[in-house]
Structure formats: C-alpha cells, structure tokens
Amino acid sequence: ETRLVLIYGESRIRELIKLGKKSVHAKLWNVAPETALYMQIAENAARGGYSKPQLLEYITKLVESKKFKKAQVAKLLGIDPAEVTKLATINEMSEPLKTRFMERNVPIDVMYELRILANDEARLRTLDTLLAGQYSKDTAKHFIRHIIAGLCDECGTTSNSRNDLHALSFYGDKWLC
C-alpha cells in the first residue's frame, strides 16, 4: 500500500488553496516515517521554531518510539530537557485541557502545575478560573499550588493527602501546614 504524507509546506499549500490554486508542484521521496519526522523537525527549526501542537506531536512520537531518552529528544528539538518532561506530562492530559493549552496561550509551567490537582474536573475548573482573569504566570502557579492544591512548601503534602482543604497558613514567604 502506498501512502503519501505531507512532510512540509502545509501552511504554504493552505495559502495557495485560499488563492484559488488547483495544483502545486511537489517533490516525492520514499522515506521511512522516522526520517519524515526528522525532516519535519529540521524544517520547522530552520524557519524559527515550533508551535505548541507541533512540539506535543514531536515529543509524543519521539518518546513513544522508545528509541530516544527525553534528554536526546530535548537536544534534537533544541529545547531544555525539563520542557520535554513538562510537555510529555501535558500531552497525557485530557483533550479539553490540551485544547485550552494550545488555543489560549497557557504557559507550559502553568499547565504543568495542574498535574498536582486530583482530577480533570478540578484541572479544568482551575484553568478556566485562571483564563477568566488576567494573571501572571507566577500568580497562576501560586494559585494552583497553594490555594487549590493546598501544597505545603515545607513538607510537600497537599490538601488531598492531608484531607483538609484549609490547613495552610502563610508565614513569611512560605505556605505551611
């Protein structure tokens, strides 16, 4: 079975279609899927970076192939290894959460903090609350960690593990249970 896959030029083709073009010149190569992925990554890196959906797709494909460790994926994509871990975690979240992440310009660090909440309902409610306001990234992370999850800065427990939603107090510059 022969299957043709567009490796690069998708946005250019969409623009040509909008302009009424009925055909385009294209080069066809017989390459393995892994090679096609490398070609996409190289092309996107050359034109200045990746969109959030592309990063999620690339990290998912590279990590799930089990041929690469996260540090190797980071090097290939030219990003910090911690970002690979965060994006891999975000990619395991529900579709509504990933959609908000991609469409609403939610910072990676804020999305990653949502993982500490008990379930998707709590994550969605918290994210929607944050998106309704104009919060800085640091304020949003503080809100998730301390107000919603009840994270203690000293022992690392959350209100979920303590079974007490209001057990934190603010002392100096730390939230403590």
Side-chain angles (χ1 to χ4, degrees):
E1 175 183 314
T2 301
R3 190 180 93 148
L4 299 177
V5 177
L6 182 63
I7 296 174
Y8 32 75
E10 181 179 348
S11 59
R12 290 183 291 269
I13 289 174
R14 271 194 250 118
E15 290 302 314
L16 288 170
I17 290 169
K18 285 181 187 175
L19 294 172
K21 294 283 186 179
K22 300 290 182 201
S23 64
V24 297
H25 293 283
K27 292 182 182 180
L28 298 178
W29 291 303
N30 186 10
V31 297
E34 191 172 277
T35 303
L37 180 61
Y38 297 149
M39 292 169 73
Q40 285 179 327
I41 291 169
E43 194 266 342
N44 285 326
R47 80 177 155 79
Y50 316 99
S51 67
K52 285 180 181 179
Q54 288 169 328
L55 270 176
L56 287 177
E57 175 190 353
Y58 296 158
I59 288 169
T60 300
K61 286 180 179 177
L62 292 168
V63 171
E64 287 179 357
S65 75
K66 302 203 188 295
K67 294 180 180 180
F68 300 95
K69 294 185 187 308
K70 288 180 181 173
Q72 293 169 308
V73 172
K75 187 173 183 178
L76 180 64
L77 294 174
I79 63 175
D80 187 280
E83 295 294 296
V84 173
T85 298
K86 291 174 185 176
L87 286 162
T89 300
I90 292 167
N91 198 47
E92 293 171 3
M93 292 180 177
S94 70
E95 286 305 315
L97 282 164
K98 288 192 289 190
T99 300
R100 284 170 176 79
F101 169 64
M102 291 185 274
E103 293 177 357
R104 301 287 303 276
N105 201 27
V106 178
I108 292 170
D109 288 345
V110 171
M111 281 301 292
Y112 185 68
E113 286 298 324
L114 291 172
R115 80 196 184 289
I116 65 175
L117 300 180
N119 56 50
D120 270 352
E121 182 182 333
R123 292 179 190 112
L124 282 166
R125 195 173 53 247
T126 301
L127 185 56
D128 287 342
T129 299
L130 292 170
L131 290 171
Q134 296 295 321
Y135 299 102
S136 70
K137 181 172 74 172
D138 288 337
T139 301
K141 287 168 52 176
H142 162 79
F143 179 78
I144 294 167
R145 286 180 185 169
H146 303 296
I147 307 304
I148 301 297
L151 180 70
C152 175
D153 288 326
E154 189 169 79
C155 70
T157 61
T158 63
S159 57
N160 293 337
S161 59
R162 288 190 307 270
N163 293 321
D164 183 355
L165 292 175
H166 304 289
L168 285 183
S169 297
F170 190 67
Y171 296 101
D173 62 346
K174 296 185 186 281
W175 288 88
L176 306 172
C177 59

